[in-house]
Amino acid sequence: MNRVNVKCEDLQLSYGNVVVLDGVTLDIAPGEFFALLGPSGSGKSTLLRVIAGFLQHQKGRLLIDGRELRDEPAWARRVGMVFQNYALWPHLSVRENVAFGLVERRLSRKEIDARVSEVLEQVELGGLAHRSPHQLSGGQQQRVALARTLVTQPQVLLLDEPLSNLDRSLRIQMRQELLKLQRRLGITTIFVTHDQSEAMTSADRIAVLDKGVVQQIGTPIALYDYPATPFVARFVGTMNLLQGTVRSTCGRAVRLAIEGWGEIVIESDADLAAGRRAMAAIRPQTIRLDVADARRDARFSWLPGSIESVEFHGEFTRYCVQVGEHMVFADQPHYAGLSKFPAGASVSIGIDPTLVRLYGQ
């Protein structure tokens, strides 16, 4: 399969005075599994439909394999799309559903049979070709929808929340199968989801959107460890965000006074002068939690706190800690036999200054 790239250059789309896409610029590599991640209303599904040709952008350029697509209809783009609801014909068999697009294109019966058989084997449905959609599980229906798209041999595969109708265990299985198939075919794939775990575990790179604007593009690790904005910090994983005022700077050391908390020293490359408002972002798993009178590791900034609540998540325990006027999440790994802090316990929380992100405001 010929691998192609997809480029969006300053795409804009509005409905009247409502801006839905605001200067979206992306460069998706050939064969890349690329995710569009964001909350409802962020513009990610609209962007997918623009690429598919179902919606027309008003400004900017859209290119696939270097070809400008502004005036090219959806049927001519060699772009395949799998919808959230699968949209299978209930009165047709699996084979007939998959063959539908090829029949419409008036291909020969021999070629249709060969291509349908091949793609059904690829998605492991060869033995279910004569069943009706209602006789299939949710995961099998999703594979039929995928096969129906792949059989047309698209250059780009678009997936609009294709796993959202599945239960959690099946969603994990189908996510792994989908990624395995995509790697085998090498097809450039753009995957829309509001579920950060789906994006983080599948995508080569992710674009995080909010209100039609791309907030950040990067690998899952880069987005998680180095969020560019407070929005990305909040949306990708769990983050403690604390407002404060810069008291002083010395090299990379920034002394930040957090209202209702106190002062902490943070290592940051942010250009922040004394008196500037700033926001500190701290991942829960980077916070050290210890008894109130324990010997303290000098590498951490320590503050007194009180356990307000305890949540057991299996792999870790999440503590909600009252620190001054703030509630802070602190995650501690769990293993059998590990004692836990009870609600109401007095503790000390330790913050590693090298693991705090700082944003100017």
Side-chain angles (χ1 to χ4, degrees):
M1 181 175 290
N2 180 33
R3 300 186 178 192
V4 301
N5 74 319
V6 178
K7 285 188 176 183
C8 302
E9 299 178 351
D10 195 29
L11 288 188
Q12 298 186 44
L13 186 149
S14 300
Y15 298 131
N17 294 325
V18 179
V19 178
V20 183
L21 298 178
D22 190 3
V24 172
T25 295
L26 302 173
D27 191 351
I28 301 170
E32 187 172 20
F33 196 108
F34 192 92
L36 302 175
L37 177 65
S40 297
S42 61
K44 56 190 187 298
S45 291
T46 298
L47 177 57
L48 208 68
R49 282 162 171 74
V50 168
I51 296 171
F54 303 143
L55 294 174
Q56 179 64 59
H57 56 285
Q58 289 131 358
K59 294 182 181 179
R61 297 207 307 161
L62 171 64
L63 303 98
I64 293 182
D65 201 24
R67 187 177 78 256
E68 169 65 65
L69 299 182
R70 182 177 182 84
D71 298 319
E72 196 165 294
W75 60 266
R77 294 191 178 194
R78 294 198 63 187
V79 172
M81 187 163 179
V82 178
F83 296 93
Q84 183 176 355
N85 62 0
Y86 310 147
L88 301 179
W89 296 104
H91 62 288
L92 300 181
S93 69
V94 167
R95 175 174 287 276
E96 290 168 336
N97 264 282
V98 174
F100 185 83
L102 303 183
V103 173
E104 290 293 301
R105 296 182 186 189
R106 301 184 183 280
L107 272 63
S108 69
R109 173 54 57 185
K110 182 178 180 180
E111 184 174 359
I112 291 174
D113 287 343
R115 284 167 63 168
V116 170
S117 295
E118 180 184 9
V119 77
L120 285 176
E121 290 300 322
Q122 287 177 338
V123 299
E124 300 179 354
L125 289 176
L128 304 178
H130 299 293
R131 290 195 182 181
S132 298
H134 73 271
Q135 295 176 305
L136 304 178
S137 68
Q140 290 168 336
Q141 290 181 26
Q142 197 258 6
R143 285 190 233 170
V144 175
L146 181 60
R148 185 180 56 188
T149 300
L150 293 175
V151 78
T152 62
Q153 299 177 344
Q155 292 181 315
V156 179
L157 178 62
L158 307 179
L159 305 171
D160 190 6
E161 307 228 28
L163 309 179
S164 61
N165 292 331
L166 307 178
D167 61 49
R168 184 177 182 275
S169 60
L170 185 56
R171 191 160 61 241
I172 294 172
Q173 177 188 339
M174 289 306 302
R175 183 174 70 211
Q176 294 169 343
E177 291 182 7
L178 182 62
L179 183 59
K180 182 179 178 181
L181 179 63
Q182 189 270 342
R183 297 301 192 214
R184 186 166 70 247
L185 297 176
I187 186 171
T188 305
T189 301
I190 306 174
F191 177 52
V192 159
T193 181
H194 66 275
D195 186 330
Q196 59 174 280
S197 64
E198 286 185 359
M200 299 287 279
T201 55
S202 304
D204 298 309
R205 289 188 303 149
I206 302 169
V208 180
L209 282 80
D210 182 41
K211 298 176 182 177
V213 177
V214 175
Q215 300 291 313
Q216 188 174 356
I217 302 171
T219 65
I221 292 176
L223 293 181
Y224 190 86
D225 288 344
Y226 305 104
T229 67
F231 174 83
V232 177
R234 281 191 300 266
F235 196 77
V236 179
T238 302
M239 186 72 85
N240 296 299
L241 295 173
L242 304 167
Q243 302 268 5
T245 302
V246 176
R247 291 299 187 212
S248 63
T249 61
C250 182
R252 297 186 68 248
V254 178
R255 184 175 296 277
L256 185 71
I258 299 174
E259 293 89 343
W261 182 329
E263 293 188 356
I264 58 173
V265 177
I266 300 166
E267 294 185 18
S268 175
D269 293 321
D271 185 15
L272 296 169
R276 177 91 179 268
R277 295 287 293 169
M279 179 179 289
I282 310 169
R283 292 287 184 198
Q285 72 274 16
T286 67
I287 295 177
R288 181 76 62 86
L289 202 59
D290 214 332
V291 295
D293 56 353
R295 291 186 61 183
R296 298 177 177 179
D297 190 326
R299 295 172 300 172
F300 291 75
S301 294
W302 292 91
L303 294 162
S306 174
I307 303 292
E308 289 296 311
S309 63
V310 183
E311 294 180 349
F312 178 59
H313 289 254
E315 297 89 349
F316 66 93
T317 300
R318 173 162 292 167
Y319 295 95
C320 185
V321 187
Q322 181 78 45
V323 183
E325 298 177 3
H326 298 270
M327 287 291 185
V328 178
F329 290 123
D331 293 348
Q332 304 294 293
H334 169 75
Y335 54 86
L338 179 67
S339 60
K340 294 179 172 53
F341 293 101
S346 295
V347 295
S348 291
I349 68 165
I351 297 172
D352 185 339
T354 66
L355 298 178
V356 179
R357 297 285 295 170
L358 203 57
Y359 304 96
Q361 293 184 290

